[in-house]
Amino acid sequence: MAQLWGGRFQGEISELAWKFNASIYFDKRLINQDVLGSKAHVKMLAKQGIISDEECLSIHKGLDSIIKDVEDGKLEITDKYEDIHSFIEANLIERIGDAGKKMHTGRSRNDQVALDMRLYTREEVRHTGETLFNLLKVLDNLMREHIDTYMPGFTHLQKAQPVTLAHHLGAYFEMFKRDATRLCDIYKRMNYCPLGAGALAGTTYPLDREFVALQLGFYGPTVNSMDSVSDRDYLIEFLSALSLIMMHLSRFSEEVIIWNSNEYNFVTIDDAYSTGSSIMPQKKNPDIAELVRGKTGRVYGSLNSLLVTMKGIPLAYDKDMQEDKEVSFDAIDNTKNCIILFTDMLRSMKFNKDVMEKSAIRGFTDATDAADYLVKKGVPFRDAHGIIGRIVLNCIEKNCGISDLSLDELKSFSDKFENDIYEAISLKNIIEKRLTIGAPSKASMKKALEKNKEFLDLFWTRCQSPIYPDLESDD
Ligand code: ARG
């Protein structure tokens, strides 16, 4: 047990308490962020004359050698240390001696860990944005390919009105687009540097917090030192954004599972994203989609866990906050994996166009348009609704569709029917007549596709920029 404190203690911490208290098991993944923050910190200490330039250089070299040795497998991160911060400091002192003991001047682990988590989360917000970009690209390509692929649209999982596959996928494009802009909002709000807040009340050293903030790519330093060490809002916002992404992925997965069922057969999932059964030779199961749906609950759990952890914590830092890491890492890893796998599954999925189109015709998806036809011939809508309802009942008895009835049969329900009814309720007409903004006709969808392109161009350019985007002003 190599602890950072000692002077004040007479006895040893119990082994169980040491293990219970330690975070090295999971915060070791913050090693690069910790070193980055320490390097910026000591550079500022040297600039301010708090340590010498030679000491700063020696600390930089020592920190680089630690990273290299860990990467090369020469130095193992063990639970002899409480956390990644003490592991690095102890190893640094071992390597460079007294200069290493000066690294922590004007700093506390409270602002140090606040910085590390922010740096880590900031990168993960970007990564998540990039994976979403790939999903949006795949959706956009599929939309372009399937602008003429007809399928039934559903409400209550009952056939409602015909739409196109491009239109259906376009709904998901909008959801993931909002998710992407949400990440930009979070980045914008969180990108301030907490280092220099000290334990909670700043420090008497003449630190240049602005210098450190700019070194590390932040917009500037945080304003209040107590808030700086105890703020985990940005993580909660991120977990909430991840939960929304998962909610969208989960709904989509549910549809893929339904579409892939023997009864629907709208899609065929590629073998690379299906699994078989140990007993039933015929089975090809949509496990990836099911797992995405399943992991959604787990990500919600992380959000809920951190919300509950934070709700009773008095200012400023309390150890409860160490609990922010495992749940966040789990949610971040899982959501990114889900986006990547779902994207690959979607890209390789086969859409059975003929089956979808046949299904779009059956099930009275033309009933609304048949009623609208009568309205255009002067029948009040409520009466038209009643007439078509009776026709549907009649068709169910005969096991046929509305357009299978002869004109004489139709006229027995209303003398307003003419020969043009058949054209009016043809599948193509039903869709192509829907010309309003956001509707499934080709003309409307082409406008949506233009917007897709604008968004994707803008989002990608911003993803590439060193200071991550504020998309709000462009919306
Ligand atoms: N492992 C701690 C965490 O993750 C680091 C901060 C420790 N600070 C302290 N005062 N004990 O929150």
Side-chain angles (χ1 to χ4, degrees), residues 333-349:
D333 293 349
N334 271 308
T335 306
K336 271 196 317 189
N337 279 341
C338 286
I339 301 172
I340 292 167
L341 266 168
F342 192 91
T343 304
D344 292 345
M345 181 178 72
L346 193 63
R347 194 190 282 117
S348 58
M349 202 155 73

Side-chain angles (χ1 to χ4, degrees), residues 392-405:
V392 167
L393 195 62
N394 180 267
C395 287
I396 292 170
E397 277 162 20
K398 290 187 170 146
N399 194 19
C400 68
I402 299 174
S403 57
D404 294 326
L405 298 179

Side-chain angles (χ1 to χ4, degrees), residues 336-398:
K336 271 196 317 189
N337 279 341
C338 286
I339 301 172
I340 292 167
L341 266 168
F342 192 91
T343 304
D344 292 345
M345 181 178 72
L346 193 63
R347 194 190 282 117
S348 58
M349 202 155 73
K350 192 172 149 275
F351 290 92
N352 302 326
K353 289 166 73 162
D354 292 350
V355 180
M356 286 179 145
E357 183 160 334
K358 274 192 198 116
S359 174
I361 300 166
R362 287 193 305 265
F364 304 105
T365 54
D366 50 2
T368 312
D369 288 70
D372 288 344
Y373 168 90
L374 289 178
V375 170
K376 278 176 203 143
K377 301 269 171 175
V379 182
F381 179 75
R382 194 49 58 212
D383 293 341
H385 187 286
I387 294 165
I388 302 298
R390 284 191 290 281
I391 292 177
V392 167
L393 195 62
N394 180 267
C395 287
I396 292 170
E397 277 162 20
K398 290 187 170 146

Side-chain angles (χ1 to χ4, degrees), residues 182-201:
R182 233 183 308 275
L183 295 175
C184 297
D185 294 345
I186 294 170
Y187 193 97
K188 191 175 108 190
R189 230 179 334 273
M190 72 171 287
N191 196 28
Y192 292 90
C193 181
L195 202 68
L200 76 164

Side-chain angles (χ1 to χ4, degrees), residues 173 177 446-456:
F173 189 94
K177 183 168 106 181
K446 280 192 169 158
K447 289 190 186 130
L449 289 172
E450 275 168 36
K451 280 190 179 295
N452 283 7
K453 186 176 169 353
E454 267 170 41
F455 178 81
L456 290 172

Side-chain angles (χ1 to χ4, degrees), residues 35-51:
V35 163
L36 198 67
S38 290
K39 281 171 121 180
H41 179 64
V42 295
K43 197 166 168 193
M44 180 274 296
L45 292 181
K47 181 181 89 67
Q48 298 300 89
I50 302 168
I51 61 170

Side-chain angles (χ1 to χ4, degrees), residues 4-5 21-24 26-27 30 82-85 108-114 117 199 229 232 317-325:
L4 285 175
W5 63 90
N21 184 54
S23 52
I24 191 130
F26 45 85
D27 68 16
L30 298 175
E82 180 191 342
D83 51 30
I84 192 67
H85 325 296
S108 154
R109 275 187 300 162
N110 296 353
D111 59 345
Q112 186 178 358
V113 78
M117 254 332 247
V229 292
R232 299 293 182 271
Y317 177 85
D318 298 76
K319 199 60 177 263
D320 320 38
M321 287 181 194
Q322 182 167 285
E323 290 296 310
D324 64 353
K325 289 177 197 63

